[in-house]
Amino acid sequence: MKQFIHILMLLALVLSAKAQTPKHEVRAVWLTTIGGIDWPHSYSSTTQKAELISILDQLQQAGINTVLIQTRVRATTIFPTTTEPWDGCLTGHPGTSPGYDPLLMCIDECHRRGMECHAWIVTIPVGKWNGTGCKQLRQKYPSLIRKIGDEGYMNPEMPQTGDYLAKFCAEVTRKYDVDGIHLDYIRYPETWKLKVTRPQGRQYITDIVRKINRAVKSLKPWVKLSCSPIGKYDDLSRYRSSGWNANTTVCQDAQGWLRDGLMDALFPMMYFQGNNFYPFAVDWLEHSYGRIVAPGLAVYMMHPREKNWDLEVITREMSVLRQIGLGCTFFRSKFFTDNTKGIYDFTRDFNIVPALIPPMTWACKQAPSAVAQLKIKRSMTADNISWQKAVDYSDGDYLLYNVYASESLPVDIDNPENLIAVRQRELSISVPHKGRTLHYAVTATNRYGMESKPIETPAAGTPGSSKPLNFQQLIRGNKLKKYKMKKK
């Protein structure tokens, strides 16, 4: 009853007032490559590259900060490896190289836009029994693959499954500058005739997760390990899962993985509405153990060929998740960027200011040093800001930088409205000032997301600072009669 009253109060609060935009929030999208249903829509590598850039531009403009790109599809990949063959989505011919590295490109382009890129790894399913990926895997490991219908699945009860998947995830982590390894279908198939007890089944799956965790974290401990569990963890005291849940039905102890430090984040597939959504979202929150939870929202359900949900179903869920401090993840990218029932337009306004990824405080305690020697050079149209590197006290491989701007000092870095650039690798940036006198602050962020104290431009006239330009004098001195300043 206490939980039920809490949910009612929460919904009333959200409906009566717009949730405040947080500084830290995961705003993610699943970018699906199987069959090219989200991307790519052409077998031309030139067209693929242009399309990917267009998609990422759209996502950036809508405030998305995390892209989960399907990397291992069905024992097939979108990157070059001797472990498994190329997926057919890239060329139309499984096993054939597209002539470039799509995963590398996606990572680089995401980072260029200040977004994280996570490699989405489909784990247990390996596709059609006679499909290229499944067939090659069966030839290498004949006893490892179980046939159910015309599909093949890695056997979660064999220790070789965990060894294989851990080695695969380690290869991706070692070769690429990924921000996360995202495990999909890390569970028993719903069609599997379980012959062990539920606790034993959960232990088998957990053993696989533990092996992957060790493999990834031993290489790059800042790389987030996450999964997409079934949207309802288990039955609640007041609300039932109708026989479809993570923990009991498919032996997926996702909340336990957060509790035990095996996962850094969860992206539960909460493709429901009403009482099938809100109580279970609160349950994920109450068992998040201080880690990241960004429920998946079924934007595809708004399509007329699906369930034809109203836009309000999704927008209300987004508002509730923001109010209770959870992120959100859209499934799938194409339904989002196609602006199904206006979801893209709504999200672009909903995410009007940028958001940083929540820091991994459970994995790193010390932030970088403050940035050194912040300098501002003002031109007629822009402020050119530069700084020197901060000092990293973590084991990460490089630092990133956030830039804040305000018309008053001190620059409030806790106000997300002041964020103008996030996760920058460069040590300079140009900001159009539109006639305003702006003050700036810069912070350093390590790979765990821990942010340094800010260094900011001092107030005009203080020692070591240059007085902001007087635009009236500038206009008169240069006789720019047509120049009009924007009124504050």
Side-chain angles (χ1 to χ4, degrees):
M1 179 61 71
K2 181 179 178 181
Q3 184 186 60
F4 180 66
I5 293 173
H6 175 67
I7 293 170
L8 289 179
M9 293 175 63
L10 177 64
L11 287 172
L13 178 63
V14 170
L15 293 176
S16 63
K18 184 180 178 181
Q20 184 177 359
T21 305
K23 177 179 175 178
H24 295 92
E25 182 178 64
V26 170
R27 304 167 179 176
V29 162
W30 277 292
L31 182 58
T32 311
T33 59
I34 188 169
I37 56 177
D38 284 341
W39 175 86
H41 293 129
S42 168
Y43 295 140
S44 162
S45 60
T46 301
T47 305
Q48 288 175 12
K49 294 175 183 179
E51 183 189 13
L52 181 58
I53 287 173
S54 176
I55 291 171
L56 296 179
D57 281 343
Q58 285 184 272
L59 297 180
Q60 180 190 26
Q61 291 161 14
I64 300 301
N65 57 22
T66 304
V67 175
L68 311 169
I69 183 167
Q70 193 171 28
T71 300
R72 185 187 195 230
V73 184
R74 291 294 187 273
T76 52
T77 73
I78 65 161
F79 69 96
T81 172
T82 58
T83 305
E84 292 181 345
W86 286 96
D87 189 77
C89 71
L90 298 163
T91 63
H93 302 284
T96 301
S97 169
Y100 74 107
D101 187 335
L103 178 58
L104 178 61
M105 178 183 173
C106 189
I107 293 169
D108 288 345
E109 293 295 336
C110 283
H111 288 176
R112 191 170 289 118
R113 291 162 178 77
M115 299 189 292
E116 287 196 353
C117 186
H118 297 213
W120 164 9
I121 310 296
V122 179
T123 56
I124 301 300
V126 291
K128 297 296 182 183
W129 188 252
N130 289 316
T132 301
C134 181
K135 190 173 182 179
Q136 290 193 19
L137 201 56
R138 287 192 291 114
Q139 290 172 347
K140 292 180 183 178
Y141 308 96
S143 62
L144 193 59
I145 311 303
R146 177 78 63 87
K147 185 178 183 182
I148 302 177
D150 61 350
E151 300 282 335
Y153 298 88
M154 301 189 78
N155 189 341
E157 296 172 7
M158 296 185 68
Q160 292 89 343
T161 292
D163 297 338
Y164 181 91
L165 291 172
K167 185 177 180 181
F168 184 93
C169 291
E171 179 182 357
V172 175
T173 303
R174 184 184 302 109
K175 289 172 60 176
Y176 294 94
D177 187 22
V178 290
D179 300 287
I181 296 293
H182 177 63
L183 307 179
D184 187 18
Y185 221 111
I186 186 71
R187 59 181 177 85
Y188 275 89
E190 56 271 27
T191 51
W192 191 283
K193 294 181 180 179
L194 201 63
K195 297 181 180 179
V196 300
T197 64
R198 287 300 190 276
Q200 182 61 62
R202 282 190 286 272
Q203 189 60 55
Y204 281 131
I205 303 296
T206 298
D207 286 345
I208 297 172
V209 172
R210 182 173 287 107
K211 287 179 178 180
I212 295 173
N213 176 282
R214 289 173 179 170
V216 170
K217 297 295 184 177
S218 66
L219 293 168
K220 298 176 181 177
W222 58 87
V223 170
K224 296 180 183 70
L225 187 62
S226 69
C227 74
S228 51
I230 301 301
K232 301 173 183 178
Y233 176 71
D234 216 328
D235 290 337
L236 304 178
S237 58
R238 188 179 179 89
Y239 299 92
R240 301 300 177 186
S241 62
S242 302
W244 181 236
N245 62 65
N247 189 51
T248 299
T249 309
V250 293
C251 301
Q252 191 177 41
D253 185 17
Q255 292 181 356
W257 300 338
L258 288 185
R259 180 195 63 231
D260 297 339
L262 298 178
M263 288 275 173
D264 300 296
L266 297 181
F267 298 80
M269 299 181 292
M270 299 194 69
Y271 307 152
F272 320 111
Q273 57 176 304
N275 286 340
N276 285 311
F277 182 90
Y278 297 108
F280 295 94
V282 172
D283 181 58
W284 288 114
L285 171 67
E286 291 178 344
H287 296 90
S288 61
Y289 301 96
R291 305 202 174 196
I292 296 169
V293 178
L297 305 183
V299 294
Y300 73 95
M301 285 289 197
M302 295 188 296
H303 197 281
R305 289 199 297 270
E306 294 289 342
K307 297 295 184 180
N308 204 27
W309 285 2
D310 291 335
L311 174 64
E312 186 183 12
V313 172
I314 300 297
T315 58
R316 184 173 296 184
E317 291 176 352
M318 291 169 65
S319 296
V320 169
L321 293 177
R322 175 166 289 179
Q323 189 70 39
I324 65 178
L326 297 183
C328 74
T329 311
F330 296 120
F331 186 80
R332 309 178 336 254
S333 172
K334 190 174 188 303
F335 290 96
F336 178 66
T337 55
D338 280 355
N339 199 27
T340 306
K341 290 192 175 177
I343 184 61
Y344 181 85
D345 290 340
F346 174 87
T347 305
R348 190 168 48 187
D349 292 336
F350 190 72
N351 296 339
I352 194 65
V353 297
L356 300 179
I357 308 294
M360 299 168 64
T361 54
W362 53 91
C364 180
K365 301 300 181 184
Q366 190 168 11
S369 73
V371 171
Q373 296 187 14
L374 178 61
K375 296 180 180 179
I376 312 295
K377 290 184 178 180
R378 192 172 180 90
S379 72
M380 289 184 59
T381 59
D383 291 333
N384 299 298
I385 310 162
S386 61
W387 58 91
Q388 291 186 356
K389 290 182 179 180
V391 178
D392 192 359
Y393 300 116
S394 76
D395 53 1
D397 50 1
Y398 58 81
L399 291 176
L400 299 162
Y401 299 91
N402 304 316
V403 182
Y404 302 79
S406 173
E407 293 187 9
S408 61
L409 278 173
V411 178
D412 184 4
I413 69 167
D414 292 323
N415 183 353
E417 293 183 3
N418 291 335
L419 262 175
I420 61 171
V422 300
R423 293 174 51 84
Q424 300 292 301
R425 288 286 297 270
E426 298 79 10
L427 299 177
S428 64
I429 187 174
S430 180
V431 182
H433 52 59
K434 299 180 180 179
R436 298 171 297 170
T437 298
L438 294 174
H439 304 283
Y440 299 94
V442 176
T443 62
T445 303
N446 63 25
R447 297 304 302 276
Y448 297 90
M450 301 294 291
E451 190 175 25
S452 74
K453 292 182 179 180
I455 182 172
E456 62 183 27
T457 52
T462 58
S465 71
S466 59
K467 188 176 180 180
L469 292 177
N470 184 312
F471 274 81
Q472 291 295 339
Q473 290 180 354
L474 182 65
I475 293 170
R476 288 193 298 269
N478 292 280
K479 298 182 180 180
L480 300 176
K481 302 297 185 181
K482 295 182 180 180
Y483 186 88
K484 296 180 180 180
M485 289 198 308
K486 183 179 178 181
K487 293 182 179 180
K488 293 183 179 180

